[in-house]
Amino acid sequence: MASRTAPRVPYSLDALQRVSLLSGLPALLAEYGVPFERAVDGLPVDPKAFDDPDERVPHWVASRVLGRAAQLSGRPDLGLIPGSRYDHRSLGVPGQLLQHSPTLESALDAFVSMQHSNSRGAAAYLPRYGDTAIFGYGVYDRDATAHEQIYALIMALAFNIVRTPTGGSARASKVLLSTRPPTDPTPFSSWFGVPVHFSQTQSGLVLSRRTLNARIPGARPEELERLMRLAAQAIPPSDRVWTDRAKPFSAPCSCVARRRLPRRQHALACRFARYRVGWRGNT
């Protein structure tokens, strides 16, 4: 007898994600002889949506497409590939904020403050711990899947975000991944070229004070106010404000992140920090 239970509707239908880096997935899958249509089969999205980096799709759909792409290509490290091929220039207006801030620290602060105009399913954050900071990223969309692919992609992109605007003078000292170690971690260690730690309490790049102080060549700080307005205008509409979805991360706190992050990113950063600050030694 057929079940009368209605299919569960994802809670995060209004958690939209800018296609951005995923616009390269059709060509990437073609390199492995896989039609992109197979990655979106049965999902409520037009494959043509992934032709335009500025298009927006539900975050949970984007995560499933990325996960399927990894399975269909036979590349468990697939997320690393699009992440390594792009940098801040693929991130729209928030990416331009990185280019026109005087230092890497101020650039990352500006980006973190407006990253939610690109994604309503995950948050970037930059808490400081003495002379060290973690440029982190956390998925809070409860319907997201393929987290190992998401974090691989974002950490590879973040690595380029630190390196490219500074003309290569800045680089993360460690990479933290909250996912389990892959069967073969070689692609990660080979591409990053710095220690990569898996099974961490957060995913992020460890940045030293010297790295944060790196200058951004050619920055035009006078552009920042205009870009901040444009980024604010690009924030997608939502039936539920982000606080409704991020309540599990909320907790009173007086840490340094409160003074530097918008409430959404601060709550997420504090949730991670309550469990453990820094990194574990296992890889």
Side-chain angles (χ1 to χ4, degrees), residues 75-237:
R75 289 291 302 265
D77 61 332
L78 185 83
L80 278 178
I81 301 175
S84 64
R85 293 179 177 179
Y86 294 88
D87 56 31
H88 63 287
R89 291 167 291 189
S90 67
L91 298 176
V93 177
Q96 295 180 53
L97 292 169
L98 286 157
Q99 188 63 60
H100 291 298
S101 299
T103 66
L104 179 63
E105 182 173 25
S106 59
L108 295 179
D109 273 334
F111 173 74
V112 163
S113 71
M114 283 298 165
Q115 174 264 339
H116 61 291
S117 67
N118 277 351
S119 177
R120 297 298 290 267
Y125 54 92
L126 188 70
R128 281 74 160 179
Y129 308 110
D131 289 333
T132 300
I134 295 180
F135 181 30
Y137 190 82
V139 174
Y140 62 82
D141 175 8
R142 67 177 67 178
D143 294 301
T145 58
H147 290 78
E148 72 284 355
Q149 300 300 329
I150 295 174
Y151 286 124
L153 185 154
I154 295 299
M155 289 304 102
L157 172 65
F159 203 79
N160 285 339
I161 284 176
V162 168
R163 181 169 52 185
T164 306
T166 61
S169 66
R171 184 167 87 149
S173 59
K174 290 182 176 69
V175 178
L176 313 179
L177 285 163
S178 56
T179 52
R180 294 179 179 178
T183 303
D184 180 13
T186 304
F188 290 84
S189 56
S190 297
W191 191 83
F192 286 110
V194 298
V196 179
H197 300 270
F198 294 92
S199 300
Q200 301 299 296
T201 54
Q202 59 183 311
S203 293
L205 304 182
V206 178
L207 307 177
S208 67
R209 170 48 54 190
R210 180 178 179 180
T211 297
L212 292 170
N213 290 341
R215 306 294 297 181
I216 307 292
R220 291 184 292 164
E222 65 274 10
E223 284 286 291
L224 290 177
E225 185 175 348
R226 180 183 68 85
L227 292 171
M228 291 289 270
R229 289 197 302 269
L230 289 176
Q233 292 169 8
I235 298 174

